[in-house]
Amino acid sequence: MVSPTFIFYFTLTLFLFLNVSKAQIKNSTKTILVDKSGKGQFTTVQKAIDSIPSKNKQWTTILVNAGVYKEKVTIIKDKEFIVLKGKGRASTVIEWDDSGNSLASSTFLLYASNFMARDITFKNTYNLVLEDDVLKKITWAPAALVRGDKASFYGCGFIGIQDTLTDLHGRHYFYNCYIEGAVDFIWGSSQSLFENSEINVKSKEIGVGKAFIAAQGRQSASEASAFVFKNCKVTGTGPAYLGRAYKKYSTVVYYQSSFDNIIDPEGWNIMRQAGNEKDITFAEAQCKGPGANLSNRVKWEKTLSSGELQKFIDQKVFLNQDNWIEEQLKHV
């Protein structure tokens, strides 16, 4: 007869083994290598993504060796838990030339949640190269579209002219990134924090007159969406507006950021929401540099209290209440 003590310890051991195994499976990370010269498992980024099964629950790192990958890349909604990692934003580039649609023309399209990108650049080459010394019509040509929830980008580049970063929906975190453009080149209705990043304005080079950095589309007072720039630097050529409203409750905040002498004295602009200035939240706090002079800003720029400001600049409060950013970093 099997003793009760043996049954107890056997059951306990089995329970612990099964639960440890589940945790290991959940936290394990698979790696796929992409190399355009054929030294990896795939020669294109899209083929590597396509190899990940639908409804994937295992964190998978797609390691992309240095090179310029001329392709359009899409991550569909049911391919979550992907880390896309390059060898540096100067050496690993995904680029494509497409234009005419603020969504579909994107070089990189992310519809899935639970995603991280590191050390890689997304570029739309439309309008970046003169053809017979003539610049093509300035139009929508995004480098990246981000639509899923819980997406983070570290050391990444986003290069284009109009709508460079289509930051559409969800909670997004950008750290130590580089974003370049001229016309509404960070736009959308997402809840995004840009930290320690460079925003480079290219208005002079393309002759578009005044540039517009952020076009944020919060539509109601109950939404949490906003663009927050914390410890960022705005460089390049101007003149440029820090942002312009294209929805009734557009919300953009710059905190402890530095501005080159390229910012239009008024600072802010309205696209289609004239008359709703009281509902728009455009604010600057503790910023510096020759472009940070507030004396001639629009009268409807908001001055936030310390409590109001904290809701935007505190990562935990603004978009990371469930610690999703820390959870993602465990799989790098």
Side-chain angles (χ1 to χ4, degrees):
M1 178 181 292
V2 179
S3 70
T5 302
F6 174 83
I7 294 173
F8 170 79
Y9 282 108
F10 176 80
T11 304
L12 178 62
T13 301
L14 181 61
F15 173 82
L16 292 173
F17 172 79
L18 290 175
N19 279 275
V20 168
S21 298
K22 287 178 181 178
Q24 288 174 337
I25 291 171
K26 182 179 178 181
N27 294 323
S28 62
T29 301
K30 176 183 177 181
T31 300
I32 299 171
L33 179 62
V34 177
D35 185 286
K36 62 179 301 182
S37 65
K39 297 178 181 178
Q41 291 151 279
F42 299 96
T43 56
T44 70
V45 177
Q46 188 63 60
K47 287 181 179 178
I49 291 167
D50 292 343
S51 73
I52 298 173
S54 297
K55 300 181 180 179
N56 171 61
K57 297 297 181 184
Q58 180 186 22
W59 277 98
T60 302
T61 296
I62 299 176
L63 183 61
V64 187
N65 276 344
V68 176
Y69 294 79
K70 295 182 180 295
E71 55 177 310
K72 201 176 182 79
V73 174
T74 302
I75 301 180
I76 60 175
K77 189 174 182 179
D78 67 351
K79 296 209 174 188
E80 298 187 22
F81 303 104
I82 291 176
V83 178
L84 188 63
K85 187 176 182 180
K87 292 293 187 177
R89 72 178 182 223
S91 60
T92 305
V93 179
I94 299 173
E95 68 176 38
W96 196 248
D97 183 337
D98 196 1
S99 64
N101 189 296
S102 59
L103 305 178
S105 296
S106 297
T107 298
F108 175 72
L109 301 95
L110 174 67
Y111 296 100
S113 297
N114 297 300
F115 171 84
M116 181 193 299
R118 302 181 71 91
D119 306 316
I120 194 165
T121 286
F122 308 97
K123 179 189 292 188
N124 193 321
T125 59
Y126 182 84
N127 278 143
L128 295 180
V129 180
L130 296 177
E131 292 185 356
D132 299 323
D133 295 325
V134 176
L135 189 68
K136 291 178 287 188
K137 178 185 177 182
I138 303 299
T139 187
W140 308 287
L145 177 151
V146 186
R147 195 178 184 124
D149 188 34
K150 295 189 285 189
S152 60
F153 299 82
Y154 298 85
C156 291
F158 303 85
I159 298 176
I161 295 298
Q162 181 168 344
D163 295 357
T164 302
L165 176 55
T166 296
D167 198 21
L168 214 55
H169 296 297
R171 293 171 292 169
H172 308 149
Y173 181 55
F174 300 83
Y175 185 84
N176 192 29
C177 289
Y178 173 86
I179 307 167
E180 176 185 303
V183 183
D184 301 332
F185 63 98
I186 304 172
W187 82 280
S189 302
S190 67
Q191 187 176 344
S192 294
L193 175 60
F194 301 83
E195 191 169 3
N196 290 78
S197 296
E198 180 177 358
I199 314 302
N200 190 259
V201 182
K202 292 292 185 181
S203 60
K204 184 177 180 180
E205 285 84 346
I206 62 171
V208 297
K210 293 179 180 179
F212 302 91
I213 295 172
Q216 208 280 333
R218 182 171 177 166
Q219 301 187 68
S220 71
S222 61
E223 288 182 18
S225 72
F227 291 162
V228 179
F229 299 88
K230 180 179 179 181
N231 297 322
C232 291
K233 56 182 180 179
V234 178
T235 61
T237 58
Y241 287 101
L242 294 168
R244 62 173 170 174
Y246 84 101
K247 295 295 182 180
K248 186 176 180 181
Y249 289 85
S250 293
T251 301
V252 180
V253 176
Y254 289 83
Y255 173 70
Q256 291 188 346
S257 294
S258 65
F259 305 147
D260 282 357
N261 191 27
I262 63 171
I263 305 302
D264 185 279
E266 290 191 335
W268 307 93
N269 190 263
I270 295 180
M271 190 183 303
R272 294 189 294 267
Q273 302 301 320
N276 295 316
E277 289 85 351
K278 64 181 177 59
D279 297 320
I280 296 167
T281 300
F282 284 167
E284 303 164 66
Q286 301 177 35
C287 294
K288 61 184 180 180
N293 188 331
L294 300 178
S295 60
N296 292 310
R297 290 295 195 255
V298 292
K299 294 180 180 179
W300 44 270
E301 181 182 47
K302 295 291 192 299
T303 299
L304 302 177
S305 68
S306 59
E308 290 170 330
L309 184 62
Q310 199 67 21
K311 293 177 182 179
F312 291 109
I313 65 174
D314 187 321
Q315 182 199 92
K316 291 286 187 184
V317 175
F318 179 53
L319 82 167
N320 190 34
Q321 301 92 334
D322 51 357
N323 297 317
W324 65 269
I325 293 175
E326 290 85 352
E327 286 298 315
Q328 287 189 352
L329 290 173
K330 293 178 182 179
H331 304 281
V332 179

